[in-house]
Amino acid sequence: LGNFIHKVGITPDNDVSNKYKTYQITDLEQPSYLTKPRLNDNSADVKKIEVMLDMLGYEVGTPDEYFGEDTERAVRLFQSRSGLYVYGVCDITTQTKIRDTILETKFEQDTQLEFAINLLK
């Protein structure tokens, strides 16, 4: 309407708060916990680990079955932040800690986009 809003802002017509989701163990596709994936390994377990690290915000590239340098870097960073021995191998302790961290985390879900799309319909 030609109103000056710089440093004033606008009041939204609809206030949409984001929701939070917690995961249960049955929600997760978990690795077998029988292997210790490391650099250059290929397996279904690698992809499951990458997906879980990605959920936690660690950059693994596109989750696939290849344990590349991005995945190794993500594992090392996770190990460092979690107080684990840092060596880039996703051993059983690291896999378990990744799973437990997901189960203990409340993930924020952006419901604003979904609300806006429904509003426009």
Side-chain angles (χ1 to χ4, degrees), residues 7 10 14-15 18 20 23 35 40 44-45 50-52 66 86 92 96 100 112 121:
K7 294 191 179 185
I10 58 174
N14 299 287
D15 185 25
N18 286 339
Y20 291 87
Y23 286 90
T35 63
N40 297 320
D45 279 349
E50 289 174 326
V51 167
M52 291 195 301
Y66 178 66
V86 180
I92 309 309
T96 303
D100 292 348
Q112 295 175 8
K121 287 182 180 179

Side-chain angles (χ1 to χ4, degrees), residues 53 56 58 71-91 93-95 97-98 101:
L53 285 168
L56 292 171
Y58 291 90
T71 304
E72 183 185 44
R73 194 171 16 263
V75 168
R76 285 179 180 276
L77 185 56
F78 178 82
Q79 290 169 330
S80 174
R81 290 179 176 171
S82 300
L84 300 174
Y85 180 70
V86 180
Y87 69 124
V89 175
C90 199
D91 57 25
T93 302
T94 302
Q95 292 176 48
K97 185 68 174 173
I98 293 169
T101 302

